[in-house]
Amino acid sequence: MIPTQAAFPAARFRRQRRTAALRDLAQEHRLSVKDLIWPIFVTDVPGADAEVPSMPGVTRRTVDGAARAAEEAARLGIPAICLFPYTDPALKTEACEEAWNPDNLSNRAVRAIKAAAPEIAVMTDVALDPYNANGHDGLVKDGVILNDETVEALVKMALAQAEAGADILGPSDMMDGRIGAMRAALEAQGHPDVAILSYAAKYASAFYGPFRDAVGASGALKGDKKTYQMNPGNSDEAVRLVARDLAEGADMVMVKPGMPYLDICRRVKDAFGVPTYAYQVSGEYAMLTGAIRNGWLRDEVMLESLLGFKRAGCDGILTYFAPEAAAVLGPAG
Ligand code: PBG
């Protein structure tokens, strides 16, 4: 792979590291504000629009606050926002009907963001956990997560989100067959231009802990998600899942979590050459922020961690650091 590599002293690698200008010229990968998708939490539960204790610096927002966040994203040059609802526990049921209510919190937030900052791409989460009395991403019967019944519910949810004006749907549930079902419904129901960013390789990870606090699912969740999310010991399976989701009509694919799974990002990008994203999840944010705020790490770790995703082949990163990183990077073109 490296055909002509001169020997020392003809080759001195330090020549290109000598000054900042020379280092800039030799730099292979770069992080831009345009690579960032900003996940935000919305709520209309009085008093819940507060900082998430396990995610210092991240606050849940009202619908109006979500619109303000979109304006901030526009100012900072961040191209996309991804919405996660903290639903009133009184609206959570075993059938999850609130998930496809056209006026549910997430759909109202989509409309508010589109009204406030139409140029910002809005991504929504397609999974039942914020609406599910038992915290799972799918419908549960006798302790079993039902696949095909869940897919039908997800299709209704996806259509309501498309109707509300979402640009990108993010199915994060890991049921089998949901991408094909959603794509067919979007085509049939007049939403051919709504994109699907499939959470194709989503692992059953303990790094999601703070997120479940943020959306109020921690207390509700019975058991774990290992019958639908991936086994962290697998790698070939991730490639097969991406192939499957692309065949079913996904426009973009995601690997999640991020930093512990950079090997998967690289395999996916090399195998398919499609738009590939990683989610630097809540636990990754919490561990870096915790160490930074304690003075154990310098805040440069934020950009270094994000650049790692670009090096691993990602086209973009979902990260709670988006506004902070954008402020450092500047509103680049
Ligand atoms: C659930 C969902 C999760 C995340 C995004 N969508 C949590 C889970 O699967 O339990 C995690 C995001 C994060 O940890 O930042 N559909």
Side-chain angles (χ1 to χ4, degrees):
M1 265 317 281
I2 302 176
T4 49
Q5 183 53 64
F8 175 83
R12 287 183 186 269
F13 283 87
R14 291 185 57 197
R15 281 181 204 128
Q16 281 192 285
R17 297 188 202 126
R18 191 170 55 84
T19 69
L22 294 170
R23 288 192 294 275
D24 273 345
L25 285 174
Q27 183 161 335
E28 298 172 39
H29 301 279
R30 249 173 250 281
L31 179 70
S32 150
V33 67
K34 300 300 176 200
D35 300 321
L36 305 177
I37 300 176
W38 181 15
I40 65 168
F41 300 108
V42 286
T43 186
D44 52 8
V45 176
D49 53 329
E51 189 170 61
V52 180
S54 50
M55 301 179 74
V58 173
T59 53
R60 300 187 200 94
R61 298 158 194 272
T62 59
V63 169
D64 193 51
R68 300 291 83 75
E71 289 165 356
E72 187 183 344
R75 223 173 17 253
L76 290 166
I78 299 170
I81 277 188
C82 180
L83 283 173
F84 293 99
Y86 171 99
T87 310
D88 183 346
L91 294 172
K92 298 186 186 189
T93 61
E94 295 210 338
C96 307
E97 298 95 337
E98 182 65 7
W100 52 93
N101 174 355
D103 287 318
N104 72 18
L105 178 61
S106 174
N107 293 332
R108 277 186 279 126
V110 171
R111 291 194 201 94
I113 288 176
K114 279 292 166 190
E119 70 272 38
I120 297 296
V122 182
M123 174 171 167
T124 48
D125 190 57
V126 190
L128 299 178
D129 54 316
Y131 311 98
N132 203 338
N134 52 49
H136 277 290
D137 292 22
L139 299 169
V140 185
K141 191 168 178 219
D142 301 330
V144 175
I145 318 295
L146 304 174
N147 193 87
D148 302 8
E149 293 81 349
T150 298
V151 170
E152 283 176 33
L154 295 171
V155 166
K156 288 189 267 182
M157 184 177 182
L159 286 172
Q161 293 176 348
E163 207 61 56
D167 299 287
I168 306 169
L169 305 185
S172 69
D173 56 286
M174 289 296 279
M175 297 299 127
D176 288 313
R178 87 270 207 227
I179 302 299
M182 270 175 221
R183 176 54 74 211
L186 290 169
E187 287 290 330
Q189 305 291 321
H191 300 292
D193 294 331
V194 172
I196 298 177
L197 199 181
S198 169
Y199 286 63
K202 176 172 176 177
Y203 288 85
S205 171
F207 284 98
Y208 306 149
F211 173 95
R212 292 180 193 167
D213 295 341
V215 298
S218 308
L221 183 63
K222 298 190 181 77
D224 58 47
K225 301 192 176 185
K226 291 180 185 172
T227 70
Y228 45 107
Q229 298 179 348
M230 278 181 73
N231 179 345
N234 291 353
S235 171
D236 291 343
E237 188 190 4
V239 178
R240 295 173 64 207
L241 284 166
V242 168
R244 189 271 308 265
D245 284 2
L246 290 171
E248 290 187 15
D251 303 283
M252 309 170 252
V253 294
M254 191 200 295
V255 174
K256 179 185 177 190
M259 296 189 303
Y261 296 88
L262 290 178
D263 57 320
I264 307 299
C265 299
R266 171 49 65 196
R267 278 195 76 179
V268 167
K269 190 61 173 181
D270 285 350
F272 301 101
V274 297
T276 302
Y277 297 80
Y279 198 144
Q280 185 182 50
V281 300
S282 56
E284 302 176 63
Y285 174 85
M287 78 183 172
L288 291 178
T289 304
I292 293 167
R293 294 205 176 190
N294 272 297
W296 298 334
L297 286 174
R298 293 210 312 263
D299 55 13
E300 285 98 326
V301 295
M302 172 180 73
L303 293 187
E304 185 179 333
S305 71
L306 295 172
L307 182 57
F309 290 102
K310 296 300 298 289
R311 204 179 55 243
C314 293
D315 296 282
I317 310 118
L318 286 93
T319 176
Y320 302 97
F321 286 121
E324 223 175 309
V328 183
L329 292 167

